[in-house]
Structures are given as C-alpha cells and as structure tokens.
Amino acid sequence: MDNICIDSLILKLHDVGAVKFGEYKLKSGMVTPIYIDLRVLVSYPALMNQVSSLIYQRVQDEGLQFDSVCGVPYTALPLATIICSRHELPMLIRRKEAKDYGTKRLVEGSCREGDTCLIIEDTVTSGSSILETAEVLYKEGLKVTDAIVLMDREQGGVEMLASQGIRLHPIISMFKLLNVLLAAERIDAQTTQSVRKFILDNNTFSPKEENGDGVPATKKACVEQNLSYADRAKLPNVHPLVSKLLKIMGEKQSNLCVSADVTSTEELLQLADSLGPKMCMLKTHVDILKDYTVAFSQKLQALAENHNFLIFEDRKFADIGNTVKHQYEGGLYQISSWSHIVNAHAVPGPGVVKGLSSVGKPLGRGCLLIAQMSSQGSLATGEYTKAVVKMAEEQPDFVIGFICGSKITKRPEFIHMTPGVQMQPGGDVLGQQYTTPEEVICNKGSDVIIVGRGILEAPDRLKAAEAYRKSGWEAYMKRLGQSGQ
C-alpha cells in the first residue's frame, strides 16, 4: 500500500476534523486525549471514496476470500456500500436492533449457511464492536475470519479479535497517525508523547488462560496461535528443524533473518561473523556470488555453528521434481550440503517438493513454500496461497513453513517468514514493498522478519541489525501480551 497515499489521507482526516485532540469519552468508558470521529466522512464524498478504495486495496493485498461484506453499524455502512457497489460484491446489513414487525431479522440481505463474511469497521479500540457484529453473523450460520479497519488505536483490538479467531487488518495505526501529524507540524512533541503514553498505558486486552473446565474448540485454536516460540518448539508434531529454529529464536531473543544480498564471499562471511549474534537465520543468494568455492560454504557452516544461526539459501526452486533434485544436490553449489533451509514455488505442483525432499529429508533439511511475495503486483494471492497451504499440509515432513506477507495458517508447527521489512514502510522504484517489524510480527502474525537493505545500506550494519532484532522481539512480546524487556 502506498505510504505517501496513507500520509496524505491522515492529513486530510485531520483537516476535516475526523481526528481531534482534547478529552473524549469512548464507548469503553475510558477518557482519551485523542478522538477519531469518522462519521464526518459522509459530508466529504471524495474523501469517503479514497477511504473505500484503500480498504478494498488492503483486501486485495491480503488475498482475502469471502462471500459477502458487512459494515459495522453505523459509520462503516456507507464505506461497505461504496465498496460493494463499485466492485459488485454481495453485502449484508446488520441491524443494531430487530424490528417488531416484518421479518424481524437482525441481518438483512441474502446469505447461505457456511458462507464467509468480511467485516469492515471505521475505528477499533477494544474490538468489541466487530465481535458484536460477528456474533450476530454467527447466529445466521455465517463464518467470520477477517475484518478490515481504517484506524486501529493499538489498544488491544488486534489481540482480542485474534483470540476469537478473527484477523484484523488495519489501514492506519495510531502511532503512524501521530508520526505523520508531528512531521507535518499539526501537533507538537508534547501532545504526541501524551497520546503515546495513554495508548501504551491503556491496553484493553488481557489474555485469559484455560481453566481446564472445557474450552470451546475455536478458543483452543486461538490459544495455540499465541503460543510462545519455546512452547511451539515442544509441540509433538513439529519438524526437528523448526524446533531448532524456535529454540534459537528464544535463546537469542531474535526473530531476525538477515538477507545477505552481496556478491563477494569475503563480505558475506564478514557479515555472518559480525551480525551472527544478532540473528536467528542468514539468507543467501549463492548464485550472485562472483567467487563461490566449496571452502566458502565450509567457512559459512562453521560460522553458523559458532554463532548459533541457521542458513537459508533463497534459491526459489521452480521446476519439475527430477530437475530440482539435481539442482539441489549437485551442480556448482551443492546447496543441500550446507544450507539448512531452501524455498520453492508451488507453481510446478507437489512434484517440486517431492524432488527436493528426496535429497533434503535424509539430511534433516527443510523447505519453505512461497505463498505470498512482497513485490507490487504479485500474483501469489487468494486461491494460489490456499493451494500452497494445502500442499504444505500434505508434506509436513519436509515443508516447514512459508514465505508470506502475513500468517496464512493457524497450525503452529509451520513457520511464517516475511521479507520486505524496514523501519519505515514504503517501497522502491522496482516494486518492492516495505512493512515495519511491528506490523509484520504483531499485526500480521508472522514469525520471522527478513531484512536486507535496511541493514546492508546502513552506515553501521551492526547497530542496524541490533535495532531490527530489538524491534522484532518487542513486537513478538507485544503479540504475546507481555512487556518485553
């Protein structure tokens, strides 16, 4: 999503009074120094169209699958209406109260039992309004797996909804809004600090532990979603390589994978040695090295052992089984002899995994399937992503997870790794899209951040790696509902 477009929208929302500073009482009862009043959008059709377009763009970016759309009454109703009318999507309307005449229904529109409904909301604090709407839809036999919100106040709504099996996809976060308004000199540093402190001090969600008296199946699944890395490493069905990675992550307090896109073996080894203590994994592109030798691969393995990280060769295998088998075990690079993990496209079908597995499985190696990509216009979305998950679930003895933009399966034995991570969201001229560590780990539910240029182009690579390690780990602790130290 275009970061410039988001910044412009934030300033326009402030212009029309949709963002107010002062003392305001929220639905939850708390008094807040900032109030988001998006009801004013109905008086600004151009702005409402812009918001609707961004919401639909986020739906497309996430590859969400659904049968109908429901806007939380009342502010999100016109947004849902514009989206559904423009893109010819079936829409449902949830009433806040049933009429005592006519059909007396709480949900208006045509729906079938078992259909999936996407919820759209304007602002989220605790997530209660989305959950209330979901519960009404559940009574109609509908499923709710995802919700899109324009503004996330970052006060526990994402976590609360995740605990109920609903993934929340925000367009704008509160801290992003504050940063933009501060940079544009719309607010001063004191106001910014005051609001930040309020947000951090007033999280509305506290994870509840199972009481042993019988928890509904849906809630058990959600508890599994929030397992720590250490707990997931102990699961009975987890792949040994995943278990090893999760233990490394816990021991080093790092979910950072450094993407070493350099062309010299000397520079790559230097990176591995200096940044080794900060990362859980090193990603290589061996075919861009100008001076590869077997001795290099041996030195790299020694550094991985010494600094306790895994090696991931980003080979992106994408051929028939017999061909990838030879590419993996032979040729100039003999990748299977030194790389713990490789990845593959699912386009060729399950044969690509079977070919790689015939070489890697006896060696204790693992494979990541590419389910989504961070490049603009990627075709790896929707049904393709679902097919990738199914392929992984059918071959869990070798497939250990996914390259993806967000969490795509609730099964905790799979690792989710996300590329295109930088401290500031945005993109480059070649279509690469960047997302922040907090967005990737905390909001999108991924496990590992893959960082390349954010570290390689920094004046001090070691300092940058530490900053990403710390940011990624704090986002993980926030996801668990703990206070990361």
Side-chain angles (χ1 to χ4, degrees):
M1 189 171 291
D2 190 341
N3 196 48
I4 296 176
C5 190
I6 295 294
D7 291 2
S8 171
L9 174 61
I10 289 171
L11 296 178
K12 289 177 183 177
L13 291 174
H14 186 252
D15 287 338
V16 301
V19 181
K20 305 175 187 292
F21 295 89
E23 286 192 1
Y24 301 90
K25 189 174 183 179
L26 300 177
K27 177 183 177 181
S28 60
M30 69 173 67
V31 177
T32 173
I34 183 171
Y35 187 59
I36 310 299
D37 181 14
L38 296 174
R39 288 182 291 268
V40 301
L41 287 180
V42 295
S43 297
Y44 300 91
L47 190 53
M48 193 156 61
N49 281 328
Q50 183 181 355
V51 169
S52 301
S53 296
L54 285 172
I55 290 174
Y56 185 72
Q57 183 182 338
R58 185 59 182 272
V59 171
Q60 295 293 98
D61 290 345
E62 296 293 340
L64 301 183
Q65 299 296 305
F66 51 91
D67 301 293
S68 57
V69 175
C70 181
V72 175
Y74 290 103
T75 308
L77 278 176
L79 299 174
T81 302
I82 291 171
I83 292 167
C84 291
S85 175
R86 185 179 292 167
H87 301 284
E88 299 184 356
L89 301 171
M91 178 176 162
L92 301 175
I93 297 177
R94 174 214 155 192
R95 290 185 178 275
K96 279 199 169 183
E97 60 286 315
K99 298 287 187 181
D100 58 2
Y101 55 87
T103 62
K104 302 180 181 180
R105 296 182 61 185
L106 279 173
V107 177
E108 302 291 356
S110 178
C111 59
R112 298 171 299 179
E113 186 172 347
D115 279 359
T116 298
C117 184
L118 173 69
I119 293 178
I120 291 176
E121 175 63 303
D122 63 319
T123 308
V124 162
T125 302
S126 67
S128 61
S129 294
I130 288 178
L131 188 59
E132 288 169 7
T133 297
E135 288 172 345
V136 172
L137 296 171
Y138 293 153
K139 290 177 181 177
E140 298 291 324
L142 297 169
K143 295 183 290 186
V144 176
T145 58
D146 297 272
I148 304 282
V149 64
L150 176 62
M151 172 61 66
D152 173 25
R153 289 180 59 98
E154 297 189 275
Q155 290 180 256
V158 170
E159 295 84 355
M160 189 282 284
L161 291 169
S163 76
Q164 300 297 319
I166 300 173
R167 293 182 295 269
L168 183 65
H169 308 275
I171 307 296
I172 303 171
S173 68
M174 179 62 77
F175 287 171
K176 168 70 173 177
L177 178 139
L178 292 173
N179 289 340
V180 171
L181 293 180
L182 178 63
E185 299 183 348
R186 301 292 186 91
I187 55 176
D188 58 25
Q190 184 177 352
T191 300
T192 304
Q193 185 59 33
S194 172
V195 175
R196 283 180 182 275
K197 186 177 187 305
F198 173 84
I199 296 298
L200 293 172
D201 291 346
N202 290 276
N203 191 295
T204 62
F205 178 67
S206 297
K208 296 179 181 178
E209 297 191 11
E210 295 181 53
N211 55 23
D213 296 329
V215 179
T218 54
K219 293 195 176 182
K220 284 184 179 178
C222 293
V223 170
E224 288 182 352
Q225 286 183 21
N226 291 319
L227 287 175
S228 68
Y229 293 148
D231 289 336
R232 287 168 63 188
K234 300 173 186 175
L235 292 172
N237 296 323
V238 71
H239 190 284
L241 194 59
V242 171
S243 180
K244 180 177 181 178
L245 173 61
L246 290 168
K247 288 176 182 176
I248 290 173
M249 291 160 69
E251 291 168 6
K252 300 178 76 171
Q253 295 192 354
S254 175
N255 46 29
L256 170 64
C257 171
V258 175
S259 181
D261 297 336
V262 296
T263 59
S264 158
T265 57
E266 181 180 356
E267 184 179 5
L268 201 157
L269 291 172
Q270 186 180 32
L271 273 174
D273 194 19
S274 61
L275 306 185
K278 306 297 181 183
M279 61 189 174
C280 64
M281 191 182 302
L282 178 72
K283 184 172 79 73
T284 61
H285 275 296
V286 68
D287 54 0
I288 69 172
L289 292 173
K290 297 176 180 178
D291 53 351
Y292 174 85
T293 62
V294 173
F296 156 77
S297 67
Q298 294 170 342
K299 291 177 182 177
L300 184 60
Q301 290 177 81
L303 288 171
E305 185 72 22
N306 184 44
H307 293 302
N308 195 24
F309 63 80
L310 299 185
I311 304 170
F312 163 33
E313 167 53 24
D314 190 6
R315 177 61 177 79
K316 297 185 179 72
F317 291 100
D319 215 317
I320 61 173
N322 188 58
T323 300
V324 298
K325 175 179 179 293
H326 291 297
Q327 290 173 329
Y328 189 22
E329 70 179 348
L332 176 63
Y333 303 117
Q334 299 179 0
I335 296 168
S336 64
S337 69
W338 53 269
S339 181
H340 301 98
I341 299 169
V342 291
N343 58 356
H345 287 289
V347 174
V352 67
V353 177
K354 292 177 181 177
L356 294 171
S357 178
S358 67
V359 175
K361 186 178 173 183
L363 298 173
R365 307 306 195 195
C367 179
L368 299 164
L369 291 182
I370 300 166
Q372 297 168 329
M373 296 185 72
S374 57
S375 52
Q376 187 176 23
S378 167
L379 302 181
T381 60
E383 291 301 316
Y384 179 85
T385 300
K386 286 185 177 181
V388 172
V389 173
K390 185 173 184 294
M391 189 182 296
E393 291 173 345
E394 291 171 348
Q395 303 186 70
D397 56 349
F398 184 63
V399 177
I400 64 171
F402 309 93
I403 298 296
C404 51
S406 60
K407 189 170 187 175
I408 57 175
T409 175
K410 294 180 181 179
R411 290 179 57 170
E413 60 266 34
F414 285 118
I415 291 290
H416 294 74
M417 297 181 55
T418 299
V421 177
Q422 285 203 4
M423 291 299 187
Q424 296 296 325
D428 68 11
V429 295
L430 296 179
Q432 172 68 295
Q433 301 295 297
Y434 292 117
T435 313
T436 65
E438 180 171 354
E439 177 71 5
V440 168
I441 300 294
C442 190
N443 296 341
K444 295 191 174 183
S446 194
D447 297 307
V448 177
I449 56 173
I450 302 176
V451 183
R453 279 176 274 185
I455 292 173
L456 299 186
E457 295 179 359
D460 187 334
R461 290 176 170 179
L462 182 60
K463 185 177 179 180
E466 170 57 16
Y468 277 98
R469 184 208 64 77
K470 184 179 179 182
S471 180
W473 188 257
E474 287 177 348
Y476 161 68
M477 297 301 287
K478 181 178 178 182
R479 187 174 84 188
L480 288 182
Q482 302 175 12
S483 56
Q485 298 293 326

